[in-house]
Amino acid sequence: MKKFFGIIIVLGIVFISWHYRYAFLNLSKTLPNVTSSPFIEKLVEDISAPEPLRGSMEEKSVTLTSSGVISWTNNQRRQNGQLPALKGNSKLNKAAAAKVKDMFDKQYFEHESPEGHGPGDLARNANYLFLSIGENLALGNFDDDQALVQAWMDSPGHRANIVSKKYTEIGVAVGRGMYEGRQTWLAVQEFGRPASDCPAIEVNLQTLIAKHKAELAADEELIRQKKSSLEANDPKTKEEVDAYNEDVRVYNEMVKVYNAKLESLKGEIAEYNGEVKAYNACLTS
């Protein structure tokens, strides 16, 4: 009988040892993975820039004006679909003037500068926050403002910008100078739809999400290291088992904190993606 009870006690000790030895394994199966967090959608810039228009380089006594170009542009909008007039915007005027000067100074005639700066960069440099940007360029000695706008209207890509429903504002600059050794005019139209037309995207929230994702990645690595340490441990004495159980408790707490942070991150991402969805819906309306 004593031998029987002795066997029972030994089996009990073995069972208890194995119970504590592998207690953490069940938790490790539910260890969250930060890469499974919802994806953050990026916004794409809406920029329209048709091939620049070259007119006649024949020298003649002509004068082009920014106000005249805007007036004839809005006249074309009225005649083609009864579209509302584009409102003049000082920041877009600044962007257009910078473009005219840059093309004369660096002797190029393209939407993208030799440094690789395009219409979106021009708008941002002028502190114009936009949903959509369009740019029309013209080079040549046109008879007058009306003739210049008509030349753009006769070009499908430039016409599309002039009669587009998505733009609400405009900036124009014209200038006369030397280009390729000849006196000529350069004209720039900057069309825009301001960012204020649609619900704002919370930039600070996106920064916060990136910070929290980085913190979670670091936490996850610590959890994996802790798990590896537990798996390699083989406690035998009571003191070792006690220390081991304390490590399991610490591990469990780390997982608990990680799970709470992950749920918080998911909430932040859901909020941000909701803003992106509302923004995109507004942009296409």
Side-chain angles (χ1 to χ4, degrees):
M1 182 64 69
K2 290 182 180 180
K3 184 177 181 180
F4 174 77
F5 281 115
I7 294 173
I8 294 298
I9 291 172
V10 170
L11 290 175
I13 292 173
V14 171
F15 173 79
I16 292 172
S17 298
W18 276 95
H19 173 73
Y20 283 114
R21 172 65 180 84
Y22 293 106
F24 70 95
L25 288 180
N26 290 332
L27 292 172
S28 69
K29 294 178 182 177
T30 60
L31 183 63
N33 189 345
V34 72
T35 57
S36 64
S37 298
F39 207 52
I40 299 177
E41 186 175 346
K42 293 184 178 180
L43 299 171
V44 179
E45 289 187 336
D46 179 19
I47 297 176
S48 174
E51 186 72 20
L53 176 69
R54 285 179 176 265
S56 171
M57 297 293 285
E58 178 185 351
E59 293 191 18
K60 60 181 75 173
S61 179
V62 300
T63 299
L64 300 179
T65 66
S66 298
S67 60
V69 171
I70 292 176
S71 177
W72 283 107
T73 295
N74 282 329
N75 182 273
Q76 289 290 352
R77 287 175 65 85
R78 285 192 298 272
Q79 293 181 28
N80 293 269
Q82 294 293 314
L83 299 172
L86 298 172
K87 298 177 182 178
N89 181 279
S90 60
K91 292 179 179 180
L92 288 177
N93 284 336
K94 180 180 177 181
K99 183 65 175 178
V100 169
K101 183 178 185 304
D102 199 51
M103 288 191 293
F104 272 131
D105 288 348
K106 298 171 184 173
Q107 292 292 290
Y108 72 96
F109 183 53
E110 300 289 343
H111 290 288
E112 191 171 286
S113 72
E115 296 80 15
H117 301 150
D121 301 301
L122 276 173
R124 282 186 288 271
N125 289 342
N127 294 318
Y128 184 79
L129 303 180
F130 63 90
L131 301 174
S132 301
I133 282 288
E135 183 177 81
N136 282 352
L137 303 180
L139 165 70
N141 294 314
F142 300 89
D143 290 338
D144 52 26
D145 298 331
Q146 181 182 9
L148 167 60
V149 174
Q150 186 59 53
W152 272 325
M153 287 295 292
D154 292 338
S155 168
H158 299 91
R159 176 190 177 94
N161 274 345
I162 291 174
V163 299
S164 174
K165 295 180 180 179
K166 66 184 176 183
Y167 302 125
T168 58
E169 298 179 333
I170 189 173
V172 171
V174 295
R176 189 168 184 263
M178 294 296 296
Y179 184 78
E180 296 180 342
R182 304 181 70 173
Q183 282 283 342
T184 187
W185 285 85
L186 280 172
V188 177
Q189 286 178 311
E190 298 290 349
F191 304 91
R193 184 183 179 191
S196 57
D197 277 4
C198 285
I201 300 295
E202 182 54 61
V203 178
N204 291 336
L205 180 57
Q206 187 176 13
T207 303
L208 191 64
I209 288 171
K211 176 186 176 183
H212 289 166
K213 288 188 74 173
E215 290 175 354
L216 272 176
D219 289 348
E220 184 181 20
E221 179 57 29
L222 290 175
I223 290 173
R224 292 189 185 282
Q225 291 176 7
K226 191 68 173 177
K227 176 186 174 184
S228 296
S229 175
L230 287 169
E231 288 177 333
N233 200 349
D234 188 20
K236 294 182 175 61
T237 68
K238 180 180 182 304
E239 289 76 12
E240 290 175 343
V241 170
D242 289 343
Y244 177 82
N245 288 338
E246 176 60 19
D247 284 342
V248 170
R249 186 195 66 77
V250 172
Y251 175 85
N252 290 342
E253 186 62 27
M254 291 171 68
V255 173
K256 180 180 178 181
V257 171
Y258 180 95
N259 283 334
K261 287 184 178 180
L262 182 60
E263 287 305 309
S264 177
L265 175 64
K266 287 180 178 179
E268 291 169 354
I269 292 177
E271 180 182 350
Y272 179 81
N273 285 346
E275 292 179 359
V276 171
K277 184 178 180 181
Y279 179 95
N280 288 341
C282 174
L283 187 61
T284 57
S285 62

